[in-house]
Amino acid sequence: MDQTPEQPLVTGADPQAEATDLEALADLLGVLAYGSLTASIRMCVDADAAPGLSVKSALVGLAADEYRHYEAVIARMVALGIDHEAAMQPFVAPLASYHERTRPKTWLEGLVKAYVGEGIAKDFYGEVAKFVDADTRAVIHAALVRERQEDLVVDVVRTAMKTDPQVSGRLALWGRRLVGEALSQAQAVAVERDPLAMLLIGGADLAELGRMFGRLTDAHRARMARLGLDA
Amino acid sequence: MDQTPEQPLVTGADPQAEATDLEALADLLGVLAYGSLTASIRMCVDADAAPGLSVKSALVGLAADEYRHYEAVIARMVALGIDHEAAMQPFVAPLASYHERTRPKTWLEGLVKAYVGEGIAKDFYGEVAKFVDADTRAVIHAALVRERQEDLVVDVVRTAMKTDPQVSGRLALWGRRLVGEALSQAQAVAVERDPLAMLLIGGADLAELGRMFGRLTDAHRARMARLGLDA
């Protein structure tokens, strides 16, 4: 990952700025942690509906990876003296809302949701890692290791589309819906959480923020293409 | 764990005996693997219904541990040249039936099920580890490490019972039902799977098998007592 010059977040000299920074960092780590925890739960619930041992196992494997990320982020919050339950609380409702509005109707939708959702989450982790102190960045990067289950997800989805060509149209629509709902919840969070918004906007100028969204969109499009779907 | 003298399972000199042994080992590892996978899924589904971040997180943590056990057992089957999907297949129906018949009606029942079920599973792992070769035994023992989430489960259940004394009677009944259903499915499996039954009976005389069930029952009773419940 290419690094731009950055200010460490939690080692500022100005006590006021430091307090704000720690608040922003609590927001950021709070949403990462609770996002991983809920993703883990959703993937397991979807695994329950999946037919066949290999798909079940792949989804539970992705879920276990999400839980490892959750644990790492919690450990970092503990090290920073952040109350991790309090930090996650503001994101309980938006994430519940996202998952409620994107409840898969088929196990294949569940699989695409896991793949697309984890992909976007990881790209976002990679982007925000630039804005935080070095130790926190190391925790975030550790959560970015590519997992082996992804290849199986791609294979299964591609095979399903070969068997039933109608599937691809429905899944392409589904992919767009997942991104739309994610963006709409992210916007709601940004409006509510000043410190987090300031961290993202303050760390980069607006042009850079635009480029960041461009990169996230491009990566999403590449992921959908890997599945054989239009984004 | 105290070790009794034992024959390594997969290194026998008689080719016929070796084939039977590998079949028995496939059964044993198959039920351990699929048991862990389904336990992992059920715990996550129950986590979904649980209120509060700490209970949710504890249940997903137990689920992630189960998935690690699953992965380790699968890796051992791969190393032994056992077709792991085929090995798990005979246990899909009995385990689905167990979980169907013990679907928690409350999140507290889910928590007790996770605690009691994982406890019995681990004790059983520890017992059967005596009957297998050294490498397989190492894999099984690695899955026996006590996990930190258990203390939280105990605390939460005890607190819930203080708040509502009626809870303890219902949960004690629930604990007995869990054990009853587990035994009834185990019996069905033993009738169907000769190699597995032979492994357990052949590895020990009947008196030893009786003592094994005695140890499992005692450990279950101790676990229920830790929760403040009669077994």
Side-chain angles (χ1 to χ4, degrees):
Chain A
M1 181 157 304
D2 46 44
Q3 298 292 337
T4 45
E6 60 235 321
Q7 273 82 41
L9 247 189
V10 287
T11 51
D14 174 0
Q16 181 61 46
E18 203 175 313
T20 309
D21 285 350
L22 201 56
E23 207 183 328
L25 197 56
D27 262 13
L28 185 61
L29 296 177
V31 71
L32 295 186
Y34 195 67
S36 291
L37 184 65
T38 51
S40 185
I41 294 176
R42 296 325 315 162
M43 285 173 188
C44 272
V45 171
D46 295 340
D48 193 28
L53 285 171
S54 61
V55 175
K56 259 189 213 297
S57 157
L59 276 168
V60 185
L62 286 169
D65 288 338
E66 287 291 343
Y67 187 77
R68 273 194 283 276
H69 306 168
Y70 164 79
E71 279 190 312
V73 175
I74 293 288
R76 182 62 192 146
M77 285 199 271
V78 170
L80 288 168
I82 294 171
D83 176 345
H84 54 87
E85 294 219 1
M88 291 191 280
Q89 208 59 59
F91 307 105
V92 170
L95 278 158
S97 178
Y98 167 74
H99 286 293
E100 189 51 53
R101 296 169 74 94
T102 57
R103 211 170 266 276
K105 278 190 292 294
T106 65
W107 64 269
L108 211 50
E109 286 187 356
L111 207 58
V112 170
K113 180 178 170 182
Y115 172 75
V116 162
E118 216 206 15
I120 293 176
K122 279 186 182 176
D123 290 339
F124 180 70
Y125 276 37
E127 294 287 347
V128 297
K130 297 172 194 168
F131 305 134
V132 300
D133 63 285
D135 287 346
T136 304
R137 191 179 314 124
V139 168
I140 293 178
H141 280 174
L144 292 176
V145 181
R146 287 255 145 244
E147 325 284 358
R148 66 227 163 288
Q149 277 96 354
E150 288 190 354
D151 292 336
L152 187 135
V153 173
V154 171
D155 283 352
V156 168
V157 173
R158 282 186 165 273
T159 305
M161 289 191 306
K162 261 184 229 150
T163 320
D164 178 358
Q166 284 204 312
V167 163
S168 70
R170 282 203 304 270
L171 289 184
L173 213 62
W174 175 242
R176 285 192 281 275
R177 172 121 166 265
L178 290 172
V179 173
E181 293 292 348
L183 282 178
S184 128
Q185 294 304 326
Q187 199 172 10
V189 164
V191 168
E192 286 287 322
R193 308 300 300 175
D194 276 349
L196 184 59
M198 284 300 122
L199 171 66
L200 293 178
I201 297 172
D205 57 23
L206 277 179
E208 171 51 25
L209 204 67
R211 284 192 292 274
M212 176 182 124
F213 276 106
R215 286 191 296 272
L216 291 176
T217 311
D218 289 347
H220 169 66
R221 200 172 287 129
R223 254 189 312 272
M224 292 298 278
R226 256 194 94 199
L227 293 177
L229 295 171
D230 291 332
Chain B
M1 182 158 302
D2 47 44
Q3 298 294 335
T4 46
E6 61 235 321
Q7 272 82 41
L9 245 191
V10 288
T11 51
D14 174 1
Q16 181 61 46
E18 202 175 313
T20 308
D21 284 350
L22 201 55
E23 208 182 327
L25 196 56
D27 262 13
L28 184 61
L29 296 177
V31 70
L32 295 186
Y34 195 68
S36 292
L37 184 65
T38 51
S40 184
I41 294 176
R42 297 323 318 163
M43 285 171 188
C44 272
V45 171
D46 295 340
D48 194 27
L53 284 170
S54 61
V55 175
K56 259 189 214 299
S57 158
L59 275 168
V60 185
L62 286 168
D65 289 337
E66 286 290 343
Y67 187 77
R68 271 194 284 275
H69 306 167
Y70 164 79
E71 279 190 312
V73 175
I74 293 288
R76 182 63 191 146
M77 284 199 270
V78 170
L80 289 168
I82 293 171
D83 176 345
H84 55 86
E85 293 219 2
M88 289 191 281
Q89 209 59 59
F91 308 104
V92 169
L95 278 158
S97 177
Y98 167 74
H99 286 294
E100 189 52 53
R101 296 169 74 93
T102 57
R103 211 171 265 278
K105 278 191 291 293
T106 65
W107 64 270
L108 211 51
E109 285 187 357
L111 207 59
V112 170
K113 180 178 169 181
Y115 172 76
V116 162
E118 217 206 14
I120 293 177
K122 278 187 183 174
D123 290 339
F124 181 68
Y125 277 38
E127 294 287 348
V128 297
K130 297 173 193 167
F131 305 135
V132 301
D133 63 284
D135 287 346
T136 303
R137 191 178 315 124
V139 167
I140 292 178
H141 280 174
L144 293 177
V145 180
R146 285 255 147 244
E147 325 285 356
R148 65 226 165 288
Q149 278 93 355
E150 289 190 352
D151 292 335
L152 189 133
V153 173
V154 171
D155 283 351
V156 167
V157 172
R158 283 186 166 274
T159 305
M161 290 192 305
K162 260 183 230 150
T163 320
D164 178 358
Q166 283 204 313
V167 162
S168 70
R170 283 203 304 271
L171 288 183
L173 213 62
W174 174 243
R176 285 193 281 274
R177 171 121 167 264
L178 290 171
V179 174
E181 293 291 347
L183 282 177
S184 128
Q185 293 304 325
Q187 197 171 12
V189 164
V191 169
E192 286 286 321
R193 308 300 301 174
D194 276 350
L196 184 60
M198 283 301 122
L199 171 66
L200 294 178
I201 297 171
D205 56 24
L206 277 179
E208 171 51 25
L209 204 68
R211 284 194 292 275
M212 177 181 123
F213 277 106
R215 285 192 297 272
L216 290 177
T217 311
D218 287 348
H220 168 68
R221 198 170 291 129
R223 255 189 310 275
M224 292 297 279
R226 255 193 94 201
L227 292 178
L229 294 171
D230 292 331

